[in-house]
Amino acid sequence: MKISDYTGVWQEEQVVKSFQIGPNYILKPTAIAEFFQEAAGNHSNAEKFGMREMMALGKAWVLGSIKYKINQWPKWSDNLLIETWVFDVQKFSSQRNFIMKNQKEEVLIEGSSNWFGIDLKKRKPTYIDDFMDVVHVREDLTTTGKPDKLRGLERVDHSSQRKAVFSDLDPVNHVNNIKYLEWMIDSLPAEVKKKSLSQVETNYLAEVRLDEEVKILSEINQVENGFNIITCIMKEEKPACILHTVWE
């Protein structure tokens, strides 16, 4: 793990482990976000703008949105190079980009994410400018562009329900952001999952906490090579999360 020549780009090597793979020995979709968020945490902790520094101020980092494109799926035992950097910093939010490469330096997955500070007592967004002077911003290094504000459903083609359980929670006592993707994939019809997931974009809009129930509603649009799907995870008739996925 290192910052590449002190340019603000964090690099770390990882290996796809047996518990991170699914059918056909391919990396689980949820493991993509795990790799990128682990690298983001390692980078921010090394540069002293991470979770410990935020907690000392009564704050925490929360993921507001993420998007990524999968060019090639990693497989079991593959050696990976993860790179991540801060692309932009505003008063309330920060954009972080990331790429995953193989040993041939080929880009397997690339994406971007938007992070917010949250006041742990008020459970509301808060300023993050406490760390602006220590963050090395790299506006010259782009990937997939900034995550968009996603539209909701025009119709419902598939639905299911879920209840948040203890194993879904993260350190700030709400459902871990990775669980929403897992819930969405679990809910989809089998015919969709015969295709390969190639793009993911997610907006996180509200907390879901222990024992709260949600509805998982999907609009499934069949296209020439597969499916374009919009999924809303609804809490009390309002979206807690919106996901747009492409399956090819």
Side-chain angles (χ1 to χ4, degrees):
M1 302 177 187
K2 64 177 182 178
I3 297 176
S4 178
D5 299 324
Y6 300 99
T7 62
V9 178
W10 177 264
Q11 296 180 331
E12 62 182 60
E13 296 179 351
Q14 295 285 355
V15 177
V16 178
K17 301 176 179 64
S18 60
F19 58 82
Q20 295 173 313
I21 58 174
N24 301 313
Y25 299 92
I26 293 174
L27 187 71
K28 291 179 181 179
T30 52
I32 296 172
E34 290 173 347
F35 272 130
F36 288 139
Q37 291 184 62
E38 183 70 13
N42 291 335
H43 180 202
S44 61
N45 288 333
E47 290 294 279
K48 306 301 182 185
F49 60 94
M51 185 62 75
R52 293 184 182 89
E53 288 74 24
M54 289 288 278
M55 294 288 283
L57 298 172
K59 303 177 182 181
W61 289 110
V62 294
L63 184 61
S65 55
I66 188 169
K67 65 185 295 188
Y68 49 90
K69 178 182 178 182
I70 302 150
N71 302 316
Q72 181 180 333
W73 278 96
K75 295 185 177 181
W76 177 45
S77 77
D78 281 356
N79 293 295
L80 306 173
L81 177 66
I82 315 294
E83 296 182 352
T84 185
W85 59 94
V86 176
F87 178 78
D88 181 44
V89 179
Q90 302 295 328
K91 286 185 178 181
F92 290 98
S93 66
S94 174
Q95 182 179 333
R96 173 179 286 277
N97 294 347
F98 48 81
I99 56 176
M100 179 186 291
K101 298 178 179 178
N102 60 17
Q103 288 185 303
K104 297 178 182 179
E105 292 287 311
E106 297 170 330
V107 175
L108 306 179
I109 303 169
E110 57 185 330
S112 64
S113 55
N114 203 33
W115 295 78
F116 292 86
I118 186 173
D119 185 301
L120 291 173
K121 289 185 178 180
K122 298 179 181 178
R123 311 297 288 191
K124 293 183 178 180
T126 186
Y127 290 113
I128 59 168
D129 52 2
D130 309 84
F131 308 108
M132 292 182 73
D133 58 337
V134 299
V135 177
H136 192 145
V137 176
R138 292 298 306 268
E139 294 181 343
D140 56 314
L141 299 177
T142 60
T143 54
T144 55
K146 184 178 180 180
D148 297 315
K149 182 178 180 180
L150 302 179
R151 79 163 179 87
L153 302 171
E154 293 183 350
R155 66 178 190 276
V156 176
D157 299 316
H158 192 269
S159 65
S160 64
Q161 292 184 314
R162 195 103 180 200
K163 185 176 182 178
V165 297
F166 187 78
S167 60
D168 294 326
L169 304 183
D170 66 9
V172 294
N173 284 313
H174 60 206
V175 170
N176 187 291
N177 62 76
I178 293 170
K179 289 293 181 178
Y180 296 107
L181 178 63
E182 182 179 285
W183 290 356
M184 182 274 294
I185 293 173
D186 287 345
S187 75
L188 293 176
E191 62 176 325
V192 172
K193 288 176 277 195
K194 292 177 182 178
K195 299 292 185 178
S196 179
L197 181 62
S198 63
Q199 294 181 49
V200 176
E201 186 162 7
T202 309
N203 289 175
Y204 302 98
L205 304 174
E207 292 182 298
V208 177
R209 310 191 77 172
L210 182 63
D211 292 333
E212 291 184 331
E213 294 185 352
V214 297
K215 295 179 181 178
I216 306 171
L217 310 178
S218 291
E219 174 187 324
I220 302 175
N221 299 295
Q222 190 162 7
V223 294
E224 183 177 357
N225 297 321
F227 300 93
N228 294 341
I229 298 177
I230 298 172
T231 301
C232 287
I233 297 179
M234 306 294 291
K235 171 187 168 182
E236 297 176 351
E237 307 305 320
K238 294 183 179 180
C241 178
I242 300 175
L243 304 99
H244 287 200
T245 54
V246 176
W247 301 73
E248 298 176 323

